[in-house]
Amino acid sequence: MAAVTIDSLLQNPTLLFRPKAKVLLKPPRSLDCSRNRKLPLSRGSCLCSFNPRRTIHVVRASSSETALIGNFDISSSDDILYKDIFPVKRIEKGKFFIRLDRSKDQHDWQFTVGCSLPGKWILHWGVSYLGDSGSEWDQPPKGMRPPGSIPIKDYAIETPLKKLSEGDIFHEVKIDFNPISEIAAIHFVLKDEETGAWYQHRGMDFKVPLVDYLEDDGNIVGAKRGFGVWSGALQQFSNVLLKSEASHADSQNNSIESKDSKNKNRCLEGFYEEQSIVKEVSVGNLVSVAVRKSPETGKVVVCLETDIPGDVVVHWGVCRDDAKIWKIPAAPYPPETTVFKNKALRTLLQPKATGNRSGALFTLDEEHFGFLFVLKLDDNTWLKFKENDFYVPLLGTSSVPGQYGQSDSTSEEISSKSYTDGIINEIRNLVSGLSSEKSLKTKKKEVQESILQEIEQLAAEAYSIFRSSITTVPDEVVSETETTKPAVKISSGTGTGFEILCQGFNWESHKSRRWYMELKEKASEISSLGFTVIWLPPPTESVSPEGYMPKDLYNLNSRYGTIDELKELVKSLHEVGMKVLGDVVLNHRCAHFKNQNGVWNIFGGRLNWDDRAVVADDPHFQGRGNKSSGDNFHAAPNIDHSQEFVRKDLKEWLGWLREEIGYDGWRLDFVRGFWGGYVKDYLEASGPYFAVGEYWDSLSYTYGEMDHNQDSHRQRIVDWINATNGTAGAFDVTTKGILHSALERCEYWRLSDQKGKPPGVVGWWPSRAVTFIENHDTGSTQGHWRFPGGKEMQGYAYILTHPGTPAVFYDHIFSHHRSEIASLISVRNRNGIHCRSLVKIVKAERDVYAAIIDEKVAMKIGPGYYEPPSGSQRWSLALEGRDYKVWETS
């Protein structure tokens, strides 16, 4: 049946930038969906509930409609208002199973995953060990890995599923393990390598617990409660196929307990669970649609044809606005049409006289906005287009967009209207968030005022863009040199939108012990290159010389220099017009003293916290606080931000840094370690001009090759920004990773997502994306994830011409790249490119990527050919280098 797209109903309503979850409703035979009681639908969703118990009414076609069929030829009509050709895909439905049972020798256990659908299936899996905390995986022991397994970095394994014999229905993989090992759980997701689709459990990995005390995050399979308290829980599964010998299992497990006290809570029982799975398969057929206005009746006529063989039923309706809510139009209807549940119509397509095609004509009143349909081949096979219902616009169809669904993506024009529409949508989200919070009476007055202020500022920005798009006769001619940037203040923490960030240090900077003074000498030079914001290293006393293991937060005498030298540096930077970001580490803090058990978790200095300030689920530091709200950093005690006294002290400290040192904002280290809502609290208290968080996460890879679709990765970053209520931006790690693969492998097609937009955070929330290609961790002497050598300027040509806030690494500024970087910054500033600028991707192929930004700047990277189009705009080459070019309008 048709794909139904739904938006998450659980996310923070202040922002809805989540990509739509694609939920394929899978009715069994006879289309009985009575078991699907709750189907939350959104715009673009089919509202039809397929239930065969309802009466289906047969509607006869009118004689006039029948007469029209022979008069409308898609290929020859010269009065066509709209025409398009859609490739279609078939949905195959199957199941995959998860099984845990004893191996043949009755000593070890065996974990099995199988899938009934054809394809190249891969099990992407890992384990967690006893005592682990957080959600990160580890690789399993080598003896546990089946043949053909491939390690993925240091956290996962990928194992192909195979048919064990020719007649088997399932592709499967079997994993043997010893029940007295240190493994607490097996984690996995299933991937179809042919389509690149990942199959998860409620948006998370599947987790199979092997001990009875693991917390259920909603992704546990097999055990709905602890293993140790099942007592016949196997009977609760409707599809259990195994019957374990309970008494034998109990005796075995008692023996295990006596051997290893660490496993005293392990009480394994077998289970078998099945889950439905669907897969898109290209069928090579096309659906042709054309729209014209009948001169005889004045009505709109839709002609639909397809080369799909056999009986094809069109399940169709109309909509009255862009919400695409299905409605039944007034008669007449084509032959062989039935009414389905008073929500839609079904029409059997009629064979055409010539060729192996079938089709139908649909006569509609002019008032309808669009024509919606899906194709039904049989009770279990439904065809769709790009994971949604087919949609044909009816109002304003004054152009012929071309073939293969071009109207959906490649012919889309990006204009100032689409930009202002995005701002308006953001305003609506803020309003809905404010309204919902008011109803709950949980939002403070000052926070409401802050949201209202941001709404006002966004509205002002949209209005200014609208005004700039209107042609007016100026009272006087203003020269280009006299124009100034619009002073748009978006919101606290996100600056004006025109920032260009310089990272003012590298991994070795502390070694001079006078870095502050060295940087002071370069302040004017850095400012003259066009940088407006500089990020300084962590200022506090630290166990590690680089500053990322802070100890006494109020002691600002560090390896980089003294507190007085820091103040002097900040003053000098302000004098040359630059804003200054302090690098603050809020996630963890090194202790001064040991507790009675010899564990370092007692703090000294002005913030003399005890072990209540340390999270309880960090096994290394025995905290007495609450559980962590993020992932633990295991090298130092993780701070419990849920404690009121901790938040109070940190807010006072940030305020002191602003007042005493003169910092204008923050770079926030390791924000994965604690909830973004606490960051919102800290930023509202300290009122920074600009703030950016380091949310570092692994991208999706298959056999060491990066996946094209990185939506899940950028979604996690967007989720964190959303948790801060948009008060902070985040480093666009997604864009860096995609640039790596695109440039390293000459695969520039990666730089466009499925919707023709930039594939990183900058494609979803550009005003909060801080783009970069290198920093002190990835480059410098650490080199954890160094940008492809010799291609750095291609990376800078991308981020310095695109929206988002670009950040340039210190080592690149003071290198042979300096003049080229300065020229790119000059082009950006000269053309007013900002964090919300509009990108029109015009080429994303194997060897070249090209885009036009704000209709002012054109650029290309890669060895392939591109020149901007000649037309009303005149382009002049502004800059070129190795495999990149930048043009601007003259």
Side-chain angles (χ1 to χ4, degrees):
M1 61 171 290
V4 180
T5 59
I6 65 172
D7 287 320
S8 171
L9 303 179
L10 301 178
Q11 60 189 318
N12 186 331
T14 59
L15 182 71
L16 298 178
F17 273 98
R18 287 186 73 93
K20 293 178 179 177
K22 296 156 180 106
V23 178
L24 297 175
L25 307 181
K26 304 174 282 294
R29 195 177 301 277
S30 301
L31 299 176
D32 182 2
C33 278
S34 58
R35 280 175 277 182
N36 294 324
R37 291 190 175 90
K38 295 183 179 180
L39 302 178
L41 303 173
S42 73
R43 192 170 72 176
S45 304
C46 172
L47 294 179
C48 307
S49 301
F50 302 96
N51 190 330
R53 298 189 183 95
R54 301 290 293 270
T55 303
I56 297 179
H57 305 282
V58 178
V59 182
R60 294 182 179 178
S62 69
S63 58
S64 61
E65 174 67 21
T66 305
L68 280 172
I69 293 178
N71 300 330
F72 190 177
D73 186 350
I74 285 182
S75 62
S76 62
S77 294
D78 56 3
D79 58 349
I80 290 176
L81 302 176
Y82 175 92
K83 180 174 69 175
D84 215 338
I85 300 176
F86 301 92
V88 293
K89 295 182 179 181
R90 182 175 71 250
I91 299 297
E92 289 190 350
K93 296 188 296 183
K95 60 186 177 182
F96 75 93
F97 71 82
I98 308 161
R99 180 172 62 213
L100 182 68
D101 61 355
R102 290 188 179 279
S103 59
K104 292 180 180 179
D105 61 9
Q106 293 295 307
H107 176 68
D108 288 343
W109 282 72
Q110 190 172 74
F111 172 66
T112 309
V113 176
C115 180
S116 66
L117 287 179
K120 199 171 182 180
W121 296 99
I122 301 293
L123 189 72
H124 183 90
W125 64 288
V127 300
S128 55
Y129 290 95
L130 297 172
D132 281 357
S133 59
S135 58
E136 294 184 358
W137 299 5
D138 287 308
Q139 288 186 344
K142 290 186 178 179
M144 187 177 173
R145 306 175 190 179
S149 297
I150 296 176
I152 303 300
K153 294 195 172 181
D154 59 350
Y155 63 89
I157 295 292
E158 288 195 340
T159 306
L161 278 65
K162 298 179 180 178
K163 286 189 176 183
L164 300 183
S165 61
E166 189 63 33
D168 284 350
I169 298 176
F170 286 93
H171 298 72
E172 59 183 65
V173 61
K174 298 178 183 290
I175 298 171
D176 294 311
F177 65 94
N178 190 321
I180 60 173
S181 69
E182 295 289 313
I183 297 172
I186 298 173
H187 307 259
F188 73 92
V189 293
L190 194 62
K191 182 179 181 182
D192 179 8
E193 199 172 42
E194 289 180 349
T195 64
W198 292 85
Y199 296 88
Q200 299 174 298
H201 187 48
R202 300 171 185 169
M204 298 178 284
D205 55 289
F206 291 84
K207 180 163 69 173
V208 179
L210 306 182
V211 294
D212 70 347
Y213 57 82
L214 291 187
E215 182 178 351
D216 188 353
D217 297 321
N219 60 339
I220 282 181
V221 291
K224 305 306 178 189
R225 297 177 292 165
F227 279 98
V229 293
W230 270 14
S231 181
L234 292 177
Q235 282 69 40
Q236 297 177 16
F237 289 99
S238 61
N239 56 351
V240 168
L241 302 183
L242 294 179
K243 294 184 178 179
S244 299
E245 298 179 10
S247 59
H248 180 69
D250 289 341
S251 63
Q252 285 290 101
N253 285 321
N254 289 335
S255 173
I256 292 169
E257 289 176 12
S258 64
K259 292 179 181 178
D260 188 352
S261 60
K262 289 184 179 179
N263 292 290
K264 62 183 179 181
N265 292 321
R266 192 188 299 270
C267 186
L268 290 178
E269 291 193 50
F271 70 87
Y272 179 98
E273 183 171 337
E274 290 183 353
Q275 301 215 11
S276 298
I277 190 170
V278 295
K279 176 181 177 178
E280 279 190 347
V281 179
S282 296
V283 294
N285 298 110
L286 301 173
V287 176
S288 303
V289 180
V291 180
R292 73 176 178 91
K293 190 172 182 178
S294 170
E296 296 87 358
T297 65
K299 293 191 174 186
V300 174
V301 180
V302 177
C303 179
L304 188 152
E305 292 183 2
T306 183
D307 59 355
I308 299 172
D311 291 340
V312 179
V313 173
V314 181
H315 185 92
W316 65 281
V318 296
C319 59
R320 293 194 171 93
D321 53 42
D322 61 1
K324 299 186 179 71
I325 298 175
W326 284 52
K327 302 289 183 183
I328 294 180
Y333 304 133
E336 300 291 333
T337 295
T338 59
V339 179
F340 183 79
K341 291 185 63 176
N342 293 322
K343 289 290 186 180
L345 297 165
R346 287 182 175 176
T347 299
L348 177 65
L349 297 184
Q350 302 299 303
K352 291 183 70 74
T354 57
N356 297 320
R357 300 176 66 84
S358 58
L361 290 180
F362 305 85
T363 303
L364 306 169
D365 293 331
E366 288 185 278
E367 65 187 26
H368 299 304
F369 190 86
F371 179 80
L372 300 158
F373 69 95
V374 292
L375 300 179
K376 175 177 177 289
L377 303 189
D378 55 49
D379 285 348
N380 294 313
T381 307
W382 296 78
L383 302 183
K384 59 179 183 173
F385 177 66
K386 293 189 177 181
E387 303 173 346
N388 286 297
D389 303 333
F390 291 89
Y391 172 72
V392 178
L394 299 179
L395 286 182
T397 52
S398 58
S399 62
V400 182
Q403 294 186 331
Y404 299 103
Q406 289 180 1
S407 60
D408 184 70
S409 57
T410 58
S411 66
E412 177 184 4
E413 292 186 2
I414 301 174
S415 64
S416 60
K417 182 183 182 300
S418 65
Y419 179 44
T420 52
D421 285 346
I423 296 177
I424 291 168
N425 286 334
E426 193 167 342
I427 292 172
R428 286 172 179 161
N429 293 329
L430 287 166
V431 172
S432 65
L434 185 63
S435 300
S436 62
E437 294 287 359
K438 278 184 175 179
S439 64
L440 295 173
K441 297 182 179 180
T442 59
K443 188 171 284 292
K444 295 179 181 179
K445 181 179 179 182
E446 59 266 28
V447 180
Q448 293 175 359
E449 291 174 350
S450 174
I451 293 178
L452 289 171
Q453 183 184 19
E454 182 165 355
I455 291 172
E456 183 180 358
Q457 290 160 344
L458 286 167
E461 184 179 2
Y463 179 73
S464 68
I465 296 168
F466 165 74
R467 289 289 299 170
S468 66
S469 67
I470 299 174
T471 303
T472 59
V473 179
D475 294 331
E476 58 182 2
V477 178
V478 181
S479 68
E480 182 180 345
T481 58
E482 293 174 338
T483 61
T484 58
K485 297 177 183 177
V488 179
K489 181 73 163 58
I490 297 173
S491 67
S492 175
T494 57
T496 65
F498 291 91
E499 285 72 26
I500 301 176
L501 175 63
C502 161
Q503 180 176 359
F505 64 100
N506 62 28
W507 194 248
E508 303 294 317
S509 297
H510 65 91
K511 291 185 176 179
S512 72
R513 291 186 175 268
R514 58 179 308 273
W515 184 251
Y516 293 149
M517 292 297 95
E518 291 180 19
L519 205 56
K520 178 189 172 185
E521 295 169 2
K522 297 178 179 178
S524 296
E525 185 179 359
I526 294 171
S527 175
S528 68
L529 296 175
F531 292 101
T532 62
V533 181
I534 188 168
W535 156 25
L536 299 185
T540 55
E541 175 200 14
S542 170
V543 171
S544 64
E546 298 82 15
Y548 290 101
M549 298 283 281
K551 193 173 180 181
D552 184 352
L553 298 187
Y554 278 91
N555 182 355
L556 301 190
N557 294 313
S558 71
R559 303 289 181 91
Y560 298 100
T562 67
I563 183 173
D564 291 332
E565 290 171 340
L566 175 58
K567 290 180 182 179
E568 201 175 330
L569 168 61
V570 171
K571 181 181 177 183
S572 297
L573 291 166
H574 284 162
E575 287 173 351
V576 295
M578 297 187 70
K579 301 290 186 180
V580 182
L581 303 186
D583 198 331
V584 290
V585 183
L586 303 178
N587 175 75
H588 51 273
R589 182 185 172 196
C590 293
H592 292 71
F593 312 105
K594 296 180 181 179
N595 68 0
Q596 64 273 20
N597 298 324
V599 177
W600 293 91
N601 61 14
I602 306 298
F603 304 92
R606 182 165 163 181
L607 302 182
N608 54 346
W609 301 332
D610 60 16
D611 52 4
R612 291 174 301 150
V614 180
V615 297
D617 52 350
D618 185 343
H620 304 287
F621 296 101
Q622 298 180 8
R624 289 193 297 122
N626 297 309
K627 288 186 176 181
S628 176
S629 57
D631 294 329
N632 281 330
F633 177 78
H634 296 299
N638 287 257
I639 300 305
D640 178 13
H641 294 266
S642 70
Q643 302 284 4
E644 180 64 33
F645 72 90
V646 168
R647 294 200 306 278
K648 177 178 177 292
D649 286 346
L650 289 178
K651 285 187 282 190
E652 288 181 358
W653 177 62
L654 291 172
W656 176 79
L657 288 175
R658 291 270 279 136
E659 185 71 24
E660 185 71 16
I661 306 302
Y663 285 128
D664 301 292
W666 316 117
R667 181 266 185 184
L668 302 157
D669 184 65
F670 196 75
V671 295
R672 272 180 59 192
F674 56 105
W675 178 47
Y678 297 132
V679 173
K680 171 178 171 287
D681 196 18
Y682 299 140
L683 297 186
E684 287 176 348
S686 59
Y689 166 86
F690 191 88
V692 55
E694 179 209 30
Y695 193 98
W696 201 271
D697 201 359
S698 295
L699 282 81
S700 300
Y701 292 84
T702 301
Y703 293 124
E705 181 178 337
M706 183 178 292
D707 297 335
H708 179 213
N709 188 330
Q710 295 292 337
D711 285 355
S712 60
H713 183 266
R714 59 175 166 174
Q715 183 62 63
R716 291 190 290 273
I717 299 174
V718 165
D719 285 345
W720 177 82
I721 302 171
N722 198 18
T724 74
N725 206 31
T727 56
F731 287 108
D732 193 349
V733 181
T734 316
T735 290
K736 173 177 167 62
I738 292 170
L739 281 169
H740 271 249
S741 282
L743 275 59
E744 208 165 33
R745 303 168 62 90
C746 198
E747 295 175 343
Y748 291 83
W749 49 265
R750 292 181 177 273
L751 293 171
S752 176
D753 69 10
Q754 291 85 345
K755 294 185 177 180
K757 309 292 185 185
V761 178
V762 72
W764 279 357
W765 205 351
S767 66
R768 304 302 192 271
V770 177
T771 53
F772 72 108
I773 70 165
E774 207 79 286
N775 64 25
H776 61 290
D777 286 320
T778 65
S780 192
T781 54
Q782 286 208 99
H784 288 327
W785 194 24
R786 198 178 300 280
F787 201 77
K791 302 180 187 295
E792 293 87 354
M793 286 313 304
Q794 288 189 63
Y796 282 123
Y798 182 92
I799 69 171
L800 286 169
T801 58
H802 279 55
T805 300
V808 182
F809 184 40
Y810 181 88
D811 289 6
H812 293 159
I813 298 169
F814 292 95
S815 73
H816 62 283
H817 299 309
R818 171 183 168 141
S819 62
E820 290 177 276
I821 290 173
S823 297
L824 284 168
I825 293 174
S826 179
V827 170
R828 183 181 183 90
N829 288 333
R830 191 161 60 240
N831 290 279
I833 304 300
H834 54 88
C835 72
R836 293 175 182 268
S837 286
L838 302 175
V839 178
K840 182 178 180 181
I841 297 175
V842 293
K843 214 168 189 181
E845 299 175 357
R846 182 188 62 82
D847 60 351
V848 65
Y849 166 87
I852 297 175
I853 301 89
D854 282 349
E855 299 296 333
K856 298 177 182 177
V857 172
M859 59 81 66
K860 80 98 180 177
I861 56 175
Y865 173 80
Y866 171 78
E867 293 284 336
S870 57
S872 58
Q873 289 176 306
R874 297 181 61 187
W875 297 97
S876 60
L877 184 63
L879 180 66
E880 74 175 303
R882 181 180 174 185
D883 289 337
Y884 78 90
K885 286 185 178 182
V886 178
W887 298 263
E888 57 190 340
T889 54
S890 55

